[in-house]
C-alpha cells in the first residue's frame, strides 16, 4: 500500500467555526469514501488553535488506486471556501502500523 500526505491549510481571515464546519464535512466525505472502497485507508489529524488551523490527511491506496488521492485533493480545492490543500506528497509504503510508527518517530 502506498501512502500520500495532503496538508490542509486555513485561509487567512476565515472564522474558526467555518473552518471547523468544513473539517466536519470533510470527515463525513471520508467516511462515505471508506464505506464505498474498503481498501482505502485514511489517517486524519487536525490542530485548531487561536488564529491557527492546520491539518493533515494521510491516504493509503493500493497500486493503481491513486485516483482516490487526486479526487480528495480536487474536492477540497473546489468545494471548500475556508480550507485548502497543499501539494500531494508520497509518504511511504507499507501497512498502516508502519506508517503510524513513522509518525510517532517523526
Amino acid at each position: 500500500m502506498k501512502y500520500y500526505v495532503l496538508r490542509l491549510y486555513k485561509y487567512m481571515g476565515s472564522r474558526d467555526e467555518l473552518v471547523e464546519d468544513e473539517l466536519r464535512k470533510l470527515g463525513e466525505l471520508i467516511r462515505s469514501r471508506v464505506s464505498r472502497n474498503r481498501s482505502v485507508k485514511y489517517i486524519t489529524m487536525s490542530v485548531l488553535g487561536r488564529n491557527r488551523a492546520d491539518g493533515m490527511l494521510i491516504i493509503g491506496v493500493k497500486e493503481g488506486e491513486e485516483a482516490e488521492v487526486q479526487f480528495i485533493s480536487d474536492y477540497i480545492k473546489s468545494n471548500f471556501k475556508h480550507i485548502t490543500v497543499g501539494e500531494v506528497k508520497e509518504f511511504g509504503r507499507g501497512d498502516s502500523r508502519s506508517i503510524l510508527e513513522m509518525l510517532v518517530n517523526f
Side-chain angles (χ1 to χ4, degrees), residues 49-85:
R50 187 169 186 240
N51 298 325
R52 183 172 173 233
D54 291 311
M56 182 185 321
L57 290 176
I58 300 174
I59 304 174
V61 294
K62 290 182 178 178
E63 200 73 37
E65 294 183 352
E66 291 85 0
E68 177 72 13
V69 178
Q70 191 62 48
F71 170 80
I72 292 295
S73 177
D74 291 346
Y75 187 91
I76 293 168
K77 289 176 183 175
S78 64
N79 289 287
F80 294 135
K81 297 178 182 176
H82 303 285
I83 59 174
T84 191
V85 65

Side-chain angles (χ1 to χ4, degrees), residues 2-92:
K2 291 167 63 173
Y3 286 86
Y4 294 87
V5 172
L6 288 78
R7 182 83 189 269
L8 300 174
Y9 298 96
K10 169 185 170 182
Y11 282 115
M12 288 181 61
S14 293
R15 295 192 339 246
D16 289 343
E17 57 271 6
L18 296 174
V19 171
E20 289 173 16
D21 185 52
E22 288 189 351
L23 288 173
R24 183 184 48 74
K25 289 177 183 175
L26 179 58
E28 292 169 2
L29 173 67
I30 289 170
R31 281 189 289 281
S32 169
R33 300 297 293 177
V34 168
S35 69
R36 291 182 186 161
N37 186 353
R38 297 208 183 267
S39 66
V40 175
K41 298 189 184 318
Y42 283 87
I43 300 169
T44 62
M45 292 177 272
S46 59
V47 177
L48 298 172
R50 187 169 186 240
N51 298 325
R52 183 172 173 233
D54 291 311
M56 182 185 321
L57 290 176
I58 300 174
I59 304 174
V61 294
K62 290 182 178 178
E63 200 73 37
E65 294 183 352
E66 291 85 0
E68 177 72 13
V69 178
Q70 191 62 48
F71 170 80
I72 292 295
S73 177
D74 291 346
Y75 187 91
I76 293 168
K77 289 176 183 175
S78 64
N79 289 287
F80 294 135
K81 297 178 182 176
H82 303 285
I83 59 174
T84 191
V85 65
E87 177 185 353
V88 176
K89 297 180 182 177
E90 188 172 334
F91 186 65

